[in-house]
Amino acid sequence: MNLLTARIEALLLASDEPLSVQKIHVLLLSSTSTEPHSEDSLSADIQHALIKLESDYQTHGIHIAQVAGGWQLRTAPEHAELVQRLWQVKAPRLSRSALETLAIIAYRQPTTRAEIEALRGVRVSSQMLSNLQERGWIKVIGRKDVPGRPHLFGTGKQFLIDFGLNGLKDLPDSNQLMDHDELNPALSQRTLQQSASEQESANEQNSEHQHGTQ
Amino acid sequence: MSETAQLPLIDSDAETHTLPPVHLDQFEGPLDMLLHLIRKQKMDVFDIPIAIITQQYMDMLEVQDDLDLEMSGDYLVMASSLMQLKSRMLLPRPEIDDEGNSIDPRSELAAQLVAYEQYRLLAEALNERPLMNRDVFTRSIFPEADDVERPLAQADLDALLVAFRQVLKRVNGEVRQQIFTEPMNMRAQMAFVLQRLQHSSMQLDELLHHSPGREALVTTILAILELWRQQSITVLQGEHFGAIMLLARGEEA
């Protein structure tokens, strides 16, 4: 392993949050023992070293993951149970309501509580929202400029880190998400034919009922 | 009689469509329950047989013997929406919108169901990812704050509120022996906090520790927030969820 890679590896272990290429660059520059590189090439070299490390670590019990715009060392998921035993904690299970709320905020941010409730069809509990906030997964990012000035919610950096995402564009199936407004015209097209014939049969049955056993 | 309708709109023989009873607990709400009914019976969400679904929905609500008060509101709203839909579907002439196009009264419900299902699936997709502290773990070997000067960054309001909440939670469980009859004065508390910080910077926990009882605690918290707003004090935090440091303005950390 060359010196640059070794130094990056050391930094990754010692950092308690994902390190960006930029941050590593700054750290290496401030060190007197860094060989002279041109500005651009050092960043590129760091990037290459990280990608190589990532692939090298694939077979190890620890991985390097690219999350939240930086790089982080973490245990491989295959060993989850073992580490849980070491830490002597049972991983808390995420409730479906929390996950659904989180998903809505993640994909529709900025969004208000009212929008979340409309999409889920139920009230959203304040406790759940504050729970998600405490984990750093969601945060209030402003207020909507409508009467009542409700809070606008978005996801926080910890969300990206904890779910192993490099950025919001890496959310699963984000490209397949149908826009809410697209849904309505799509629906009226399909049901146009059927509603007409249904009204007919409904009328026939209705008149039957009236003349029949009523 | 039309061949395109797979299920009759009005079905006098409701017995053929009854389902095994389930408890509402397993559902996230009325949308979840409706989707369950629709998917389980392989109905077309774009062509919901309203009368049948409404009947089944009402039947399910009826057999619940312990309906959570908070939840029941949402379920009842849906019940009335369904019944309204049912009567709209019985109108002799199809409804038309402003442009003269025929509209299906069920389209809004169908859109709502499809959207909800989408997010439910996305939520599952999120849950399937390797999750921190469940499937993957990191270890920070950062030395204790006492040994090393960790650069402190401006804390944001969120971090402060999280810290306050934790302190309040702790206090709620404690029983205080002394009863203070003097009402807490926020201005006085602000002066008190500022005075202590002039003396030396303090950690949030330390400062709040001296406030006996919940009322004093809340007043102190308000005092801190006001001082922060006025920019008389600075609030710093070293690491995520780490200890919060308070300093009087103009002091070095």
Side-chain angles (χ1 to χ4, degrees):
Chain A
M1 184 180 285
N2 66 42
L3 180 62
L4 178 66
T5 311
R7 302 173 87 196
I8 292 172
E9 202 184 15
L11 283 174
L12 284 176
L13 181 62
S15 172
D16 62 355
E17 53 167 21
L19 279 176
S20 63
V21 171
Q22 196 187 31
K23 185 91 198 276
I24 298 174
H25 187 139
V26 164
L27 282 166
L28 289 176
L29 275 185
S30 60
S31 156
T32 50
S33 52
T34 304
E35 291 150 27
H37 280 78
S38 77
E39 283 285 310
D40 295 331
S41 92
L42 182 56
S43 271
D45 291 342
I46 295 172
Q47 183 80 12
H48 285 132
L50 283 164
I51 292 175
K52 175 120 199 323
L53 267 177
E54 183 185 18
S55 105
D56 287 346
Y57 267 98
Q58 283 299 324
T59 53
H60 291 212
I62 48 182
H63 289 342
I64 297 186
Q66 207 178 1
V67 296
W71 298 76
Q72 188 182 45
L73 267 175
R74 34 179 67 189
T75 60
E78 303 91 78
H79 311 296
E81 204 193 308
L82 201 57
V83 179
Q84 275 176 28
R85 253 181 272 157
L86 175 66
W87 281 19
Q88 291 179 316
V89 280
K90 194 75 185 99
R93 214 186 69 88
L94 292 176
S95 73
R96 263 184 61 191
S97 2
L99 280 165
E100 284 172 13
T101 307
L102 186 59
I104 292 170
I105 294 175
Y107 286 87
R108 287 187 77 85
Q109 56 188 302
T111 186
T112 61
R113 188 181 182 148
E115 282 174 29
I116 301 169
E117 290 179 343
L119 274 169
R120 289 191 59 217
V122 284
R123 245 157 306 208
V124 172
S125 87
S126 309
Q127 194 180 28
M128 188 198 4
L129 280 177
S130 67
N131 197 335
L132 289 172
Q133 268 183 291
E134 273 176 28
R135 288 171 180 266
W137 287 350
I138 65 171
K139 51 205 274 204
V140 175
I141 55 181
R143 286 182 179 273
K144 194 165 183 183
D145 205 6
V146 293
R149 309 256 295 139
H151 285 300
L152 282 169
F153 291 98
T155 50
K157 190 174 175 186
Q158 201 62 36
F159 168 71
L160 293 174
I161 297 175
D162 285 0
F163 284 87
L165 297 160
N166 202 11
L168 287 174
K169 57 174 167 47
D170 299 314
L171 282 168
D173 302 323
S174 55
N175 54 330
Q176 286 180 24
L177 199 71
M178 276 208 285
D179 196 272
H180 211 55
D181 305 315
E182 287 173 24
L183 275 173
N184 265 317
L187 281 161
S188 8
Q189 284 300 323
R190 280 190 66 163
T191 56
L192 214 52
Q193 310 293 333
Q194 285 147 345
S195 65
S197 48
E198 251 167 22
Q199 299 283 3
E200 277 175 36
S201 52
N203 292 338
E204 287 179 42
Q205 291 202 340
N206 211 13
S207 46
E208 270 175 36
H209 267 251
Q210 284 178 348
H211 293 151
T213 51
Q214 204 67 5
Chain B
M1 204 51 105
S2 156
E3 236 92 86
T4 52
Q6 290 175 298
L7 293 157
L9 190 63
I10 300 169
D11 185 7
S12 49
D13 186 14
E15 271 83 73
T16 56
H17 299 281
T18 50
L19 300 161
V22 284
H23 199 275
L24 281 190
D25 270 357
Q26 69 178 87
F27 297 122
E28 285 301 312
L31 286 179
D32 194 14
M33 185 165 114
L34 279 175
L35 263 178
H36 168 87
L37 288 172
I38 290 169
R39 292 297 180 216
K40 189 149 184 200
Q41 298 172 96
K42 301 204 189 327
M43 295 170 175
D44 182 1
V45 74
F46 295 109
D47 187 16
I48 301 166
I50 286 294
I52 298 169
I53 274 293
T54 305
Q55 189 58 54
Q56 290 175 337
Y57 183 88
M58 300 306 293
D59 286 344
M60 274 183 123
L61 282 191
E62 232 180 83
V63 298
Q64 304 299 322
D65 48 5
D66 55 346
L67 204 55
D68 179 359
L69 199 62
E70 253 190 58
M71 276 199 326
S72 55
D74 297 318
Y75 281 96
L76 289 177
V77 167
M78 179 57 78
S80 56
S81 302
L82 286 173
M83 292 203 267
Q84 190 194 42
L85 263 185
K86 190 172 150 183
S87 43
R88 280 169 77 183
M89 293 299 287
L90 289 173
L91 290 174
R93 268 188 295 273
E95 298 178 34
I96 50 174
D97 65 11
D98 305 327
E99 289 152 28
N101 299 320
S102 165
I103 52 172
D104 185 337
R106 302 167 300 172
S107 53
E108 205 179 299
L109 177 65
Q112 213 185 358
L113 286 166
V114 171
Y116 173 73
E117 193 175 42
Q118 250 187 340
Y119 288 107
R120 200 180 58 182
L121 292 172
L122 289 171
E124 278 167 40
L126 274 179
N127 198 26
E128 266 152 36
R129 300 186 64 79
L131 184 64
M132 184 63 69
N133 293 333
R134 183 189 69 184
D135 310 303
V136 293
F137 303 81
T138 64
R139 188 66 176 152
S140 47
I141 354 179
F142 221 83
E144 290 303 309
D146 303 332
D147 306 341
V148 168
E149 299 278 302
R150 184 88 203 280
L152 299 168
Q154 287 281 335
D156 61 0
L157 184 61
D158 267 349
L160 206 55
L161 292 176
V162 166
F164 285 154
R165 208 174 278 129
Q166 283 170 340
V167 176
L168 280 171
K169 248 189 246 174
R170 270 208 307 275
V171 169
N172 276 338
E174 292 169 21
V175 176
R176 295 284 167 179
Q177 295 296 331
Q178 296 169 296
I179 300 170
F180 285 76
T181 53
E182 283 178 43
M184 293 299 307
N185 181 310
M186 196 181 86
R187 294 233 156 261
Q189 206 62 6
M190 279 169 68
F192 169 74
V193 168
L194 208 50
Q195 191 187 48
R196 296 218 58 180
L197 290 181
Q198 302 283 14
H199 187 65
S200 77
S201 62
M202 287 183 89
Q203 286 203 13
L204 182 68
D205 277 343
E206 238 183 289
L207 189 63
L208 293 178
H209 188 66
H210 296 285
S211 295
R214 196 147 166 266
E215 197 190 339
L217 198 58
V218 171
T219 312
T220 313
I221 288 174
L222 289 174
I224 293 172
L225 284 172
E226 183 60 23
L227 285 170
W228 194 31
R229 192 186 71 84
Q230 289 178 354
Q231 306 200 335
S232 304
I233 62 172
T234 311
V235 181
L236 301 173
Q237 189 177 36
E239 49 182 12
H240 210 53
F241 299 133
I244 291 181
M245 203 71 174
L246 302 174
L247 319 90
R249 263 286 153 124
E251 302 285 314
E252 297 292 319

